[in-house]
Amino acid sequence: MAEEGDILNAEIQQEMYIPVRTLGRGAFGEAVLYRKIEDNMLVVWKEVNLSRASDRERADALKEIDILSLLNHTNIVTYFNHFIDGTSLFIEMEYCNGGTLHDKICVQNELFPEEVVIWYFFQICAAVGHIHENGIVHRDIKTMNIFLTKSGLVKLGDFGISKILDSEGMADSIVGTPYYMSPEIVQGKKYNQKSDMWAVGCVLYEVLTLKRVFDASNPLRLVSDIVKGHYEEIDERYTEEMNSLVNKLLSQNPDDRPSVQELLEMPILATLGKEMEKKVWQLNSSTRRARLVTHSSETVPVITSKTCEVYFWGAGKQTPQKVDTFVLGNTATQVAAGHSHFAIVTVEKEMFTWANAHGGKGMSGQLGHGDVACYRNPKRVDALFGIPIKKVACGDEFTACITDDGALYTFGSDYFGCIGCSNELDEEVLLPHKVTFFNDKPVEDISCGDCHVVVMCANKAIYSWGCGEHGRLGLGSEDDFAFPQKIPLPTSCKVKRIYCGPESTFLLTVTGRVLACGNNDENQLGLDTLHSLRKRSIKGHVPSANSPKLVQSLNRYTIAIVAPGKTHSAFVDVYGRLVTVGSNKYGQLGVNDYQHHPSPCQVKGELVSKQVVEAACGEEFTVVAT
């Protein structure tokens, strides 16, 4: 009989994490980037060594984290979970993939435009305002504690933790960089939230000038400069309102410094306030989703050593070739392939493309690098840098991808209208083009055939465009469309996944039913029906379907995965059973013969006792994973 302590409480949440890389190390611990297996979300686990802390200080540490975990603001680094293990405090928090504001300033070669300064400053003020409303004084606002995302969001972090590490009090814990300390602090006077506003002024000055407002190398000289309050004026290119704002924040008298609320009411911020609030909300969608699924129960993190490696072969490569680009912090999470090009989304939600053109086949811009060159090594699509990519799909000579926010980008050949721009661009679109049709219709899923595209929006509406031959667009005809068209479906049909074959489209419903349209020459859609169950002769061959039709031959199964091919298709049901249909000329149905099978076949043999978790169909072969 198991001991009671050996049984995990049902309320304990067990998360699986894969280490990506170490972000940094300090005197009290380190911060490591992890990927959650459940949803591929990147998070940071920060380990803080409490071996030199007293029991009281440990209790204070947990209390402090409890307070921080209650803060919920788009411009504050989100704390997800925490626990103490022995002498270490572990904190799970949001990952900001754009570095710090300090990093940004260090690589800036020219002054920021004022509109960029306002965008950063507005977000900093919003964050500071939130902590002040909760009765918290940050006490360590500086550019190194202001984090960025690649999409342009600003996140205030690293507050409250460092001060609990030093039993001598607050002063030493915030003196790591004394350049942002207010006059009242350096003079040993009492201070309040207006001291944070001084630090905000120092940060604003640094963004405007690319240098610290007080930067003496001698500590005594630095304190003297801070108390005297003498500093250079900002550049004349900035407005008088911006100059006045700096002077007010750097007032020697704390009472003369504006509060956050007073700042936000100033014309320089108030005129764009609502617009910037909306932009921040939209850009922060991924973290918002993360908070919704984070439980308040205790967490037991399970770290695995699982890694992802990328291999490719074919087009002259007879054995798998490892792609060394995607290792460590650049691990791939999704792969897509066209006729001669590849696309990958990494854990950092960046996209890489490259080609393996065989026989001198040229490119049509499907790599998204601004030219038609054939890049044989993976290259990041720089035009999408800073935009978190959620999923990518490849057609024959084009590529399409969707972002975390549901935006859709396409690039490559527009010969069949697959770019979705009504043929208003060049026939070869060399850089990612945003399909504006979906600006107010966030895209949730995407799939591409050889020369058509199908997407599913967040509201579950399905759209298709491109080549309409054989009725693959599901629009009731074989017409081509160069602009997204809504596929008419019964209101009772709730689609959860979409799949494109080279010349077909499959829709998988929430009930595990399958609808299909497009080319059915080899019964690869499973639409053919039988005349006699005894003779199993074909009653009616359906050469194609120009609107989605229920695949009745699969109704005995509850389908979970669809894998369309050119002349055959594979399906996996909820029990992991593999079902194939279509051409069997080369044995691709996996039923130990080369005979024609007019109805779906359940693959047994080696798979009898195995559960299939993934399947893919090539032109004349099938691959499955168990």
Side-chain angles (χ1 to χ4, degrees):
M1 183 174 178
E3 294 292 333
E4 182 178 354
D6 294 334
I7 302 175
L8 288 177
N9 188 295
E11 295 182 357
I12 292 182
Q13 178 189 358
Q14 182 167 309
E15 300 280 6
M16 300 292 289
Y17 297 83
I18 297 175
V20 177
R21 69 173 185 273
T22 299
L23 298 176
R25 291 184 173 90
F28 293 98
E30 64 180 13
V32 180
L33 181 65
Y34 287 92
R35 175 167 65 90
K36 295 177 68 174
I37 294 177
E38 179 185 14
D39 56 9
N40 283 326
M41 180 183 175
L42 294 174
V43 298
V44 175
W45 275 97
K46 184 174 181 179
E47 179 183 358
V48 182
N49 187 351
L50 296 178
S51 60
R52 288 179 289 172
S54 65
D55 291 341
R56 169 78 177 272
E57 288 166 337
R58 291 189 189 188
D60 288 345
L62 283 179
K63 183 177 180 181
E64 187 102 18
I65 298 298
D66 286 337
I67 294 172
L68 295 175
S69 65
L70 294 176
L71 295 177
N72 183 12
H73 193 275
T74 52
N75 295 119
I76 291 178
V77 174
T78 305
Y79 285 73
F80 294 130
N81 286 296
H82 67 276
F83 66 92
I84 284 185
D85 181 20
T87 60
S88 294
L89 166 65
F90 291 88
I91 309 162
E92 182 188 13
M93 62 184 72
E94 176 186 2
Y95 172 52
C96 300
N97 58 8
T100 67
L101 185 55
H102 174 76
D103 298 332
K104 181 81 171 177
I105 291 172
C106 287
V107 299
Q108 191 72 14
N109 295 321
E110 56 184 25
L111 297 180
F112 290 105
E114 184 158 323
E115 56 269 24
V116 174
V117 176
I118 292 175
W119 168 239
Y120 287 157
F121 185 65
F122 172 81
Q123 296 183 77
I124 294 169
C125 289
V128 175
H130 183 69
I131 65 173
H132 284 185
E133 288 173 359
N134 285 273
I136 299 171
V137 183
H138 190 290
R139 293 176 280 208
D140 199 15
I141 296 173
K142 57 186 179 183
T143 54
M144 293 185 69
N145 283 345
I146 297 172
F147 300 89
L148 306 176
T149 70
K150 290 177 181 177
S151 61
L153 275 177
V154 170
K155 304 271 187 175
L156 181 61
D158 274 6
F159 49 94
I161 305 304
S162 61
K163 88 175 183 65
I164 66 173
L165 302 176
D166 194 327
S167 60
E168 294 181 3
M170 185 192 70
D172 286 342
S173 67
I174 64 169
V175 173
T177 309
Y179 306 100
Y180 305 86
M181 295 172 64
S182 64
E184 56 269 29
I185 289 181
V186 299
Q187 294 180 89
K189 298 179 180 178
K190 291 184 179 180
Y191 58 90
N192 54 25
Q193 293 176 343
K194 290 298 183 73
S195 184
D196 278 348
M197 301 314 296
W198 170 276
V200 168
C202 293
V203 169
L204 176 60
Y205 185 93
E206 194 169 335
V207 175
L208 289 165
T209 64
L210 308 184
K211 60 183 180 181
R212 296 191 183 99
V213 58
F214 304 107
D215 201 16
S217 57
N218 184 299
L220 294 178
R221 175 67 182 276
L222 178 62
V223 169
S224 175
D225 289 347
I226 291 174
V227 173
K228 291 178 180 177
H230 299 314
Y231 52 88
E232 296 180 12
E233 294 290 323
I234 63 175
D235 195 274
E236 293 180 352
R237 74 184 66 185
Y238 295 116
T239 61
E240 181 56 37
E241 290 84 356
M242 182 63 73
N243 187 59
S244 175
L245 183 56
V246 171
N247 292 334
K248 288 180 179 178
L249 286 168
L250 296 179
S251 298
Q252 288 290 302
N253 186 348
D255 295 335
D256 293 336
R257 299 172 204 152
S259 65
V260 172
Q261 187 57 41
E262 290 169 339
L263 281 179
L264 296 176
E265 292 174 356
M266 292 181 178
I268 194 170
L269 295 178
T271 52
L272 298 174
K274 292 297 182 183
E275 181 181 333
M276 289 190 287
E277 282 180 3
K278 182 179 179 181
K279 184 177 178 181
V280 168
W281 175 260
Q282 292 171 340
L283 292 175
N284 204 59
S285 59
S286 60
T287 301
R288 202 161 55 245
R289 288 193 295 269
R291 286 201 70 105
L292 289 175
V293 300
T294 300
H295 302 287
S296 59
S297 56
E298 183 182 352
T299 299
V300 177
V302 178
I303 311 301
T304 78
S305 59
K306 178 181 176 182
T307 59
C308 295
E309 295 179 336
V310 178
Y311 294 82
F312 74 98
W313 59 95
K317 306 290 186 181
Q318 297 183 355
T319 58
Q321 308 291 308
K322 183 178 178 180
V323 184
D324 293 328
T325 304
F326 306 106
V327 295
L328 300 177
N330 213 31
T331 304
T333 57
Q334 193 232 328
V335 180
H339 182 77
S340 57
H341 76 290
F342 308 92
I344 275 182
V345 177
T346 69
V347 292
E348 297 267 14
K349 300 191 176 181
E350 295 178 332
M351 189 166 73
F352 289 75
T353 59
W354 76 101
N356 189 31
H358 192 58
K361 180 178 176 63
M363 295 289 102
S364 300
Q366 62 262 49
L367 302 185
H369 301 311
D371 53 34
V372 294
C374 179
Y375 294 84
R376 295 188 177 274
N377 293 312
K379 177 178 170 59
R380 187 180 66 192
V381 181
D382 289 337
L384 294 174
F385 180 74
I387 301 174
I389 303 301
K390 176 182 178 181
K391 184 177 182 179
V392 62
C394 295
D396 188 3
E397 296 183 331
F398 69 94
T399 306
C401 62
I402 54 178
T403 71
D404 273 355
D405 297 321
L408 172 67
Y409 290 85
T410 55
F411 45 97
S413 173
D414 197 31
Y415 181 82
F416 289 103
C418 295
I419 302 303
C421 62
S422 299
N423 295 128
E424 294 177 353
L425 303 177
D426 295 335
E427 188 171 305
E428 294 182 343
V429 179
L430 307 182
L431 289 170
H433 165 75
K434 186 177 183 180
V435 183
T436 56
F437 176 81
F438 295 105
N439 281 356
D440 59 347
K441 305 174 187 67
V443 178
E444 190 173 273
D445 196 9
I446 186 169
S447 187
C448 296
D450 279 353
C451 48
H452 76 293
V453 185
V454 179
V455 303
M456 179 171 68
C457 294
N459 62 4
K460 306 306 178 183
I462 312 296
Y463 293 85
S464 64
W465 64 97
C467 176
E469 187 180 11
H470 303 299
R472 69 191 76 181
L473 298 182
L475 300 173
S477 71
E478 293 192 42
D479 295 338
D480 298 345
F481 289 92
F483 196 71
Q485 307 292 316
K486 186 175 182 180
I487 298 179
L489 294 170
T491 55
S492 59
C493 180
K494 307 296 184 184
V495 177
K496 70 174 182 179
R497 289 294 306 275
I498 54 176
Y499 302 88
C500 287
E503 300 175 342
S504 61
T505 300
F506 290 86
L507 307 178
L508 179 62
T509 71
V510 295
T511 59
R513 294 292 180 255
V514 178
L515 290 84
C517 58
N519 187 1
N520 194 50
D521 278 348
E522 301 286 347
N523 194 31
Q524 59 265 47
L525 306 186
L527 295 177
D528 289 353
T529 55
L530 302 174
H531 173 67
S532 169
L533 291 176
R534 178 175 298 177
K535 296 182 179 180
R536 300 185 69 81
S537 58
I538 298 177
K539 173 186 179 183
H541 173 57
V542 181
S544 65
N546 58 26
S547 60
K549 294 187 179 299
L550 179 67
V551 184
Q552 297 183 29
S553 60
L554 292 174
N555 279 359
R556 59 179 292 194
Y557 304 99
T558 301
I559 302 300
I561 298 172
V562 179
K566 187 173 180 64
T567 61
H568 76 294
S569 300
F571 307 87
V572 181
D573 75 356
V574 293
Y575 300 107
R577 296 179 295 185
L578 179 68
V579 180
T580 54
V581 67
S583 171
N584 194 37
K585 184 177 180 180
Y586 299 94
Q588 57 262 53
L589 296 189
V591 290
N592 202 32
D593 62 39
Y594 301 97
Q595 297 178 11
H596 172 69
H597 294 267
S599 60
C601 306
Q602 183 179 335
V603 181
K604 297 181 179 179
E606 291 291 327
L607 297 179
V608 168
S609 60
K610 295 181 174 63
Q611 185 176 23
V612 176
V613 296
E614 193 62 76
C617 292
E619 189 164 337
E620 296 166 343
F621 63 91
T622 306
V623 179
V624 300
T626 60

